[in-house]
Amino acid sequence: GAGVSQSPSNKVTEKGKDVELRCDPISGHTALYWYRQSLGQGLEFLIYFQGNSAPDKSGLPSDRFSAERTGGSVSTLTIQRTQQEDSAVYLCASSLERRDTEAFFGQGTRLTVV
Amino acid sequence: RKEVEQDPGPFNVPEGATVAFNCTYSNSASQSFFWYRQDCRKEPKLLMSVYSSGNEDGRFTAQLNRASQYISLLIRDSKLSDSATYLCVVNFNKFYFGSGTKLNVKP
């Protein structure tokens, strides 16, 4: 596809269940980011993948959050034992390795924990 | 201290007004700079890159002051459609996003 693709676009889950969010970056983009955005708030950095380097996990809020990137392409963000405070929009972005190029965002996954 | 700091606003301005946003960044080794725009309930999208020499795109002008570590965005002749949140973005090994400045352009 032409852009960053995220699925599902909306997810409603019960407290305590696990969820998986998927991001398919732009082909050829080696950098991939996950952010979280609560209503009316700014972007909260979660994790960053760059090529074959170890991911920067410094933004993950707890050990219930994890992410993988398989084959340098698709990424999955997993939230275990979801809590109501996990409700937010989860945004994925990708970019080329060159630092002067922009990051492109997917449309996000709106997660609601009930 | 946050890597990128912005005044959250909101800035409420009439149509046709000129409005300016600033942001400051903490890492003097930052390498590239951007302004993004985010509409309500949408993903952020690139508005413009910011170059050391300053750059202009129609009604929008961006400036970078490396010595003072701040970036500015000037919007002239504001339109209703300019209402959005403007995010200041800095890249030092990875992207750092400011929390955004909300602009409301009123008729």
Side-chain angles (χ1 to χ4, degrees), chain A residues 4-24:
Chain A
V4 178
S5 177
Q6 290 188 246
S7 61
S9 53
N10 282 283
K11 176 72 176 178
V12 180
T13 190
E14 291 181 353
K15 178 181 171 181
K17 295 284 179 70
D18 297 353
V19 295
E20 283 191 354
L21 312 180
R22 176 188 168 104
C23 173
D24 200 341

Side-chain angles (χ1 to χ4, degrees), chain B residues 22-37:
Chain B
N22 291 328
C23 92
T24 58
Y25 60 95
S26 60
N27 192 326
S28 60
S30 296
Q31 294 146 326
S32 52
F33 309 87
F34 309 88
W35 283 101
Y36 275 65
R37 170 190 169 130

Side-chain angles (χ1 to χ4, degrees), chain B:
Chain B
R1 183 184 174 188
K2 292 184 179 178
E3 289 85 3
V4 181
E5 303 230 33
Q6 294 183 250
D7 181 344
F11 284 61
N12 298 307
V13 303
E15 272 188 291
T18 295
V19 62
F21 308 136
N22 291 328
C23 92
T24 58
Y25 60 95
S26 60
N27 192 326
S28 60
S30 296
Q31 294 146 326
S32 52
F33 309 87
F34 309 88
W35 283 101
Y36 275 65
R37 170 190 169 130
Q38 186 174 25
D39 292 294
C40 189
R41 301 176 80 85
K42 297 285 190 181
E43 75 275 21
K45 293 185 179 178
L46 179 70
L47 177 67
M48 58 197 302
S49 301
V50 186
Y51 304 118
S52 298
S53 55
N55 49 301
E56 186 173 309
D57 183 1
R59 298 181 292 107
F60 298 84
T61 300
Q63 298 275 357
L64 168 64
N65 185 318
R66 283 189 182 271
S68 301
Q69 294 180 211
Y70 81 77
I71 307 156
S72 65
L73 178 67
L74 182 77
I75 306 175
R76 291 180 299 278
D77 188 23
S78 299
K79 312 291 185 190
L80 295 176
S81 57
D82 294 335
S83 296
T85 297
Y86 292 83
L87 305 173
C88 177
V89 185
V90 168
N91 192 315
F92 173 71
N93 293 330
K94 70 183 185 192
F95 288 97
Y96 294 89
F97 282 78
S99 297
T101 298
K102 187 170 175 60
L103 172 65
N104 295 316
V105 181
K106 308 288 189 182

Side-chain angles (χ1 to χ4, degrees), chain A residues 3-111:
Chain A
V4 178
S5 177
Q6 290 188 246
S7 61
S9 53
N10 282 283
K11 176 72 176 178
V12 180
T13 190
E14 291 181 353
K15 178 181 171 181
K17 295 284 179 70
D18 297 353
V19 295
E20 283 191 354
L21 312 180
R22 176 188 168 104
C23 173
D24 200 341
I26 293 173
S27 178
H29 280 193
T30 56
L32 187 148
Y33 299 77
W34 282 100
Y35 295 90
R36 177 168 72 174
Q37 189 170 35
S38 301
L39 191 63
Q41 303 298 309
L43 295 176
E44 177 187 2
F45 167 75
L46 296 177
I47 189 168
Y48 164 51
F49 295 91
Q50 173 58 278
N52 295 321
S53 302
D56 176 350
K57 303 179 181 181
S58 60
L60 294 178
S62 77
D63 59 8
R64 296 187 296 105
F65 288 73
S66 62
E68 291 185 340
R69 189 176 186 191
T70 53
S73 182
V74 172
S75 177
T76 302
L77 177 69
T78 301
I79 309 173
Q80 296 179 310
R81 305 181 302 281
T82 51
Q83 305 294 313
Q84 287 186 326
E85 61 263 28
D86 298 335
S87 297
V89 175
Y90 289 81
L91 288 160
C92 175
S94 72
S95 72
L96 293 169
E97 186 173 353
R98 282 175 42 207
R99 297 188 181 95
D100 60 345
T101 58
E102 67 186 279
F104 294 83
F105 282 84
Q107 293 186 322
T109 294
R110 184 173 301 278
L111 176 66

